[in-house]
Amino acid sequence: MTARRSADPAWWQTGVVYQVYPRSFADANGDGVGDLAGIIQHLDHLADGTADSLGVDAIWLSPIYPSPDFDFGYDVADYVGVDPKFGTLADFDRLVEACHGRGIKVILDLVLNHSSHLHPWFESSRASRTGPHADWYIWRDSPGRTKAGRRRPPNNWRGFFGGPAWTWDEGRGQFYLHTFLPQQPDLNWRSTGARAAILDVVRTWLGRGADGFRLDVFNTFLKDAALRSNPRRPGGRGWGAQVHLHDRNQPELVGALAELRAVVDERPGRMTVGELFDGSAADAAAYAAPGHLVFDFGWLGLPWSAAAFREAILRRDAAFGPTVWPANVLSNHDQPRHAGRFDLLPGGEPSLGDARAKVAATLLLTQRGTPFLYYGEEIAMRDLVIPNAQAFDPQARRSSPRAPAWNRDQARGPMPWRGGHGGGFSGGVPWLPLPPDHEVRNVERQASDPDSVLSLYRRLLSLRRATPALVRGTQELVDVDDPEVLAYRRAADGRSALVALNFASRPAHIRLPVPAPGGPWRIALATHPRQGRDALGEALGEGIGETAILAPLEALIAYD
Ligand code: GLC
């Protein structure tokens, strides 16, 4: 980030982004699969300009393009169409118009590392070594046969979902590369023709009104030109058995990103957010640029521990510094949902409470950076329980005792809008079962409960909007004399906000820093009832002195 003045931050910095997994958000036509018309019907939930909605600034749609669904949309068979199961291009236009009418930006998921094996580009590429698409994918001869007579692949690279990253194609008489499934052949970013076609896809969607793009696994776009084998990592299994030195993060990536970003930057106000595949906070910061965020996934693997978060935040702040803007995330369609992840007590038993989800929400929505919410987290939705044997998810289906994998279907359950048959998600049979607690955990019910997780999300979003320090302020961790309380101060325009999060299931006596002008801190939000109200009967404004007591798992925001 360079040019922008602090008085003039862009929407991708100030805003909150909400990830919609279209299959599971809302099904308008009753076929059991969510669709674009369903999303349009539920825009009031996302932003209707009143306190009765979340008030998000943008939605990110997981892939909506025609796909044979070997990897549920992340295998694209037509980059510029809409899959009939989700609707039509006209529905997409309606969705963009409806979103823009409410001030919601629309971010599309671009899967540009690989296409589907059924994409016409790949069908043409595999058909001929000399045709127009011959070099659009990464083809190599076999260097020979093993003693057992099998064709040896060009190098030792592994596919992320298991097995080798190379598949032999009988027709072309060569191997092709796929970082993921054999049904997801990697595009060749070194091919001028392929790269031009990719940039055209970006232009097409910009022209159709997309405000930005999430870039799927962007750091794998370029591979080592000589396709050298990766070094082994002793003790690792599957994908983890190698150091991924040559199949991602190549120096040529920087130029390719610059080209793609230049196309996006032709339209002021458009942005990208990159999915860093298997990388550190330092990598995320290094690839970010003004208008081009990169997810920092550093919080996804953390246990419920103030110390672990403190360390991750220090690492992240050191990597991003005061100018690079982070993109913060606790849940997405690839990971166990955080409400369940954090809810486990020692011994692995769920506590079944939402108090930790509330603390986590306060963290996500008050840390420096752009928060990305995953549909359902606003009601603290939990994962489904679906054994790998019944999985749709290719990662789980290919799981083996030697390389076990988590079933991602579990984080992709239908959104429970209300109780009753279909939960307001679908009038038909949902493609995945509704969460078993959907009669009690649903949007309608939480909307009428001031102490619900949903009410807290709404309050947090509205407080953010009204508090510049929380949106664009500097950030500094604060020691409050209790290792189980994570506290930090955000400051902008001479005003501060203090956030204190009690990770412990016991009360915490904390010592507060002196607020800037010397006056007392005033409580703006507390997740537990206090004298001046809230939980979330609101009001407050209650002053607190140099010390305060936090209730077990209480989150508190104060201002000076
Ligand atoms: C990304 C997506 C994931 C997909 C993979 C391959 O990690 O988030 O869902 O399976 O890329 O496209």
Side-chain angles (χ1 to χ4, degrees), residues 331-525:
S331 285
N332 64 32
H333 63 292
D334 292 328
Q335 304 291 334
R337 286 177 174 276
H338 70 261
R341 210 165 73 214
F342 292 149
D343 191 37
L344 301 179
L345 297 172
E349 286 302 303
S351 75
L352 301 179
D354 285 345
R356 287 179 174 183
K358 290 180 176 176
V359 176
T362 311
L363 172 94
L364 180 63
L365 289 160
T366 59
Q367 274 280 305
R368 179 174 177 271
T370 301
F372 281 72
L373 313 182
Y374 181 49
Y375 84 96
E377 77 169 67
E378 71 272 38
I379 55 168
M381 197 167 153
R382 307 300 209 265
D383 290 334
L384 305 173
V385 179
I386 306 176
N388 282 5
Q390 289 163 29
F392 292 115
D393 174 26
Q395 167 174 293
R397 290 167 73 96
R398 294 166 67 97
S399 171
S400 70
R402 278 192 58 230
W406 188 74
N407 177 10
R408 297 178 300 175
D409 294 347
Q410 299 176 117
R412 300 173 178 178
M415 178 79 160
W417 293 99
R418 50 180 158 78
H421 178 75
F425 165 73
S426 174
V429 180
W431 76 286
L432 285 174
L434 280 150
D437 61 352
H438 83 274
E439 292 295 343
V440 288
R441 184 184 297 288
N442 60 60
V443 172
E444 186 179 77
R445 189 150 161 163
Q446 291 205 7
S448 60
D449 173 3
D451 194 24
S452 68
V453 176
L454 178 58
S455 295
L456 176 67
Y457 269 82
R458 289 175 174 177
R459 274 275 292 135
L460 280 167
L461 272 125
S462 100
L463 185 64
R464 253 182 82 84
R465 271 193 300 281
T467 315
L470 290 179
V471 176
R472 56 186 166 81
T474 56
Q475 173 167 302
E476 177 199 356
L477 287 179
V478 169
D479 179 5
V480 289
D481 263 3
D482 184 327
E484 292 195 66
V485 176
L486 176 67
Y488 44 94
R489 184 182 195 141
R490 308 281 318 273
D493 308 334
R495 301 296 307 274
S496 292
L498 179 81
V499 181
L501 309 171
N502 185 8
F503 277 62
S505 303
R506 47 127 179 100
H509 296 253
I510 59 172
R511 188 180 46 79
L512 298 172
V514 181
W521 291 105
R522 301 199 168 276
I523 302 177
L525 180 151

Side-chain angles (χ1 to χ4, degrees), residues 71 74 111 114 161 180 184 214 216-217 275 333-334 408 412:
D71 190 17
Y74 288 92
V111 189
H114 45 267
F161 294 138
F180 295 90
Q184 293 170 297
R214 178 237 187 215
D216 192 63
V217 296
E275 185 210 14
H333 63 292
D334 292 328
R408 297 178 300 175
R412 300 173 178 178

Side-chain angles (χ1 to χ4, degrees), residues 166-188:
W166 295 96
T167 290
W168 178 256
D169 185 76
E170 212 45 75
R172 183 151 158 160
Q174 285 185 306
F175 278 101
Y176 67 88
L177 180 71
H178 49 87
T179 304
F180 295 90
L181 296 173
Q183 295 87 354
Q184 293 170 297
D186 280 27
L187 282 154
N188 179 13

Side-chain angles (χ1 to χ4, degrees), residues 82-358:
V82 168
D83 195 293
K85 67 180 162 286
F86 296 134
T88 62
L89 275 169
D91 291 327
F92 175 76
D93 294 341
R94 277 202 303 130
L95 174 62
V96 170
E97 202 187 325
C99 285
H100 287 174
R102 292 160 184 264
I104 305 177
K105 310 275 188 190
V106 178
I107 298 175
L108 289 181
D109 206 326
L110 281 182
V111 189
L112 304 176
N113 175 69
H114 45 267
S115 71
S116 160
H117 67 310
L118 300 182
H119 195 292
W121 296 344
F122 186 70
E123 287 180 337
S124 158
S125 191
R126 85 192 312 179
S128 153
R129 292 190 188 205
T130 54
H133 301 98
D135 72 342
W136 285 34
Y137 293 82
I138 300 172
W139 295 97
R140 283 296 181 282
D141 295 331
S142 168
R145 297 206 178 239
T146 62
K147 281 200 189 102
R150 298 168 79 139
R151 285 194 183 86
R152 282 198 290 118
N155 65 21
N156 72 350
W157 295 357
R158 310 287 304 166
F160 182 69
F161 294 138
W166 295 96
T167 290
W168 178 256
D169 185 76
E170 212 45 75
R172 183 151 158 160
Q174 285 185 306
F175 278 101
Y176 67 88
L177 180 71
H178 49 87
T179 304
F180 295 90
L181 296 173
Q183 295 87 354
Q184 293 170 297
D186 280 27
L187 282 154
N188 179 13
W189 275 72
R190 294 177 192 274
S191 150
T192 327
R195 209 188 273 200
I198 287 168
L199 297 182
D200 269 351
V201 168
V202 177
R203 283 193 193 94
T204 301
W205 287 113
L206 287 171
R208 252 200 139 96
D211 298 287
F213 303 102
R214 178 237 187 215
L215 302 176
D216 192 63
V217 296
F218 77 89
N219 54 321
T220 57
F221 289 172
L222 270 299
K223 284 88 181 166
D224 177 45
L227 300 179
R228 281 171 287 180
S229 281
N230 281 325
R232 281 184 208 289
R233 181 158 44 205
R237 292 200 288 185
W239 176 260
Q242 297 182 350
V243 183
H244 291 278
L245 198 61
H246 298 307
D247 51 358
R248 58 172 190 175
N249 295 3
Q250 297 302 295
E252 299 92 325
L253 174 63
V254 176
L257 283 181
E259 241 181 275
L260 194 155
R261 288 168 170 178
V263 172
V264 176
D265 290 343
E266 279 165 18
R267 312 261 190 155
R270 314 291 174 102
M271 53 77 79
T272 68
V273 55
E275 185 210 14
L276 186 73
F277 180 55
D278 208 10
S280 63
D283 291 335
Y287 286 123
H292 302 283
L293 302 169
V294 175
F295 283 124
D296 174 16
F297 288 147
W299 297 346
L300 289 176
L302 296 184
W304 184 251
S305 146
F309 272 92
R310 195 173 295 118
E311 237 174 74
I313 290 166
L314 282 173
R315 219 176 12 249
R316 205 267 311 263
D317 285 354
F320 281 73
T323 51
V324 183
W325 195 251
N328 298 330
V329 53
L330 286 172
S331 285
N332 64 32
H333 63 292
D334 292 328
Q335 304 291 334
R337 286 177 174 276
H338 70 261
R341 210 165 73 214
F342 292 149
D343 191 37
L344 301 179
L345 297 172
E349 286 302 303
S351 75
L352 301 179
D354 285 345
R356 287 179 174 183
K358 290 180 176 176

